[in-house]
Amino acid sequence: TRSAGRAVGRASFYTVSQARRAAQAEGAGASGLSRLIELHAFNAAGDAAVAISLAGTLFFQVPSGEARDQVALFLGLTMLPFAIVAPLIGPFLDRFRRGRRWAIGATLAVRAFCCWVLAGAVADESPAFYFAALGCLVASKAYGVTRAAAVPRILPTEFTLVKANSRISLTGTAAGALSAPIAIGAATIGAEWSLRYAALLF
């Protein structure tokens, strides 16, 4: 067991070091893009854990006939406001020193709090469950908008915007794939444990 643990530790350390080296390549480390890439990895890992946690709850067990209106309401609450204000968010955050950093941090903090509330509410099916789930989804959408506004400001000279966004997306996909088995393992004990894992990631 000790030998297996040491082997896994060495492999994990090597993987993380190589991933950080790749994230900092081509001037991304100096410009700050590598920090955003690493942050997005934790964001994607947390989102994967939240999706797995909610998959077996009442949140996804509404009959299809009743779900149509709720899906429309969800889209209206999460998509429409950001579609209207998204072009204004970048110039607004420019008015504040480190505005983008604080805005992105706030979206992660809100989701950490909502996941912790969800972990306590998932068992007794209290009304707080739905409010916390909605807050988590809205904060996730807000993160996407604020991240998109931040990328052009920290773009290295060697990067195009398409290349930076593709590297961020690829990192997020890999982080979500790595996080999913851990979240599934925690969810087998109870959905509250995978939600606490998501809160820790955020």
Side-chain angles (χ1 to χ4, degrees), residues 57 67 153 164 171:
T57 65
R153 293 294 300 270
T171 303

Side-chain angles (χ1 to χ4, degrees), residues 144-170:
V145 174
T146 52
R147 178 183 60 81
V151 171
R153 293 294 300 270
I154 55 175
L155 200 63
T157 55
E158 296 85 353
F159 272 62
T160 63
L161 188 58
V162 173
K163 183 178 181 180
N165 283 324
S166 64
R167 182 170 291 190
I168 292 171
S169 299
L170 182 61

